[in-house]
Amino acid sequence: MSEACLFCRLRDRKLPVEVVYEDEEVLGFKDINPKAPVHILVIPKEHFTSLNEVPAGKESLLGHMLRVATKIGQEKGLARTGYRIVINTGPDSGQAVFHLHVHLLGGRRLSWPPG
Ligand code: 5GP
Ligand code: ZN
């Protein structure tokens, strides 16, 4: 899954992307349509359609995604004011891009519960 997947294409730099973090396992980049002053997406470089498709044995990758999102939030000064980390999964969540991604949102007061 590479040619058809938007985030695989971003990973491969086939489309413009504003990268804020990269290592061997994950890529962090600015959301193209930010829903908050800080809105970063963290994806695994390996393609998974959603959390539903992540097999057992990938726990360290999932943990790494959370750790990277947290570090980006801290670096952007959100540790005190707070932030939200979200993984939309499947139709009821509103997932629109079917390559697993963590949203990091912050820089404004976020309502709860989400709509
Ligand atoms: P989802 O609704 O699947 O959880 O979130 C998908 C996110 O990807 C949305 O926040 C949307 O703004 C973002 N997005 C969609 N297309 C692009 C793109 O081409 N580039 C970037 N950087 N973000 C995108
Ligand atoms: Zn993909």
Side-chain angles (χ1 to χ4, degrees), residues 50-53 87-95 98 100:
S50 79
L51 274 183
N52 283 324
E53 284 72 38
I87 304 179
N88 291 322
T89 306
D92 277 355
S93 75
Q95 183 181 2
F98 292 91
L100 176 64

Side-chain angles (χ1 to χ4, degrees), residues 8-17 19 22 27 45:
C8 284
R9 289 172 65 82
L10 294 185
R11 174 202 63 205
D12 296 341
R13 308 304 204 276
K14 300 262 172 60
L15 295 168
V17 59
V19 172
E22 182 166 21
L27 186 70
K45 289 190 168 176

Side-chain angles (χ1 to χ4, degrees), residues 72-88:
I72 295 169
Q74 291 168 342
E75 284 166 15
K76 293 198 174 285
L78 300 177
R80 185 182 57 80
T81 52
Y83 54 90
R84 186 172 296 165
I85 287 174
V86 175
I87 304 179
N88 291 322

Side-chain angles (χ1 to χ4, degrees), residues 1 5 7-8 11 47 98-99:
M1 175 66 75
C5 172
F7 285 176
C8 284
R11 174 202 63 205
H47 177 93
F98 292 91
H99 180 130

Side-chain angles (χ1 to χ4, degrees), residues 6-7 29-33 35 88 94-97 101 103:
L6 175 63
F7 285 176
F29 55 91
K30 292 184 181 176
D31 194 290
I32 201 168
N33 181 18
K35 314 303 188 295
N88 291 322
Q95 183 181 2
V97 177
H101 52 281
H103 294 258

Side-chain angles (χ1 to χ4, degrees), residues 32-48:
I32 201 168
N33 181 18
K35 314 303 188 295
V38 176
H39 190 173
I40 302 295
L41 304 174
V42 178
I43 66 165
K45 289 190 168 176
E46 185 175 0
H47 177 93
F48 301 103

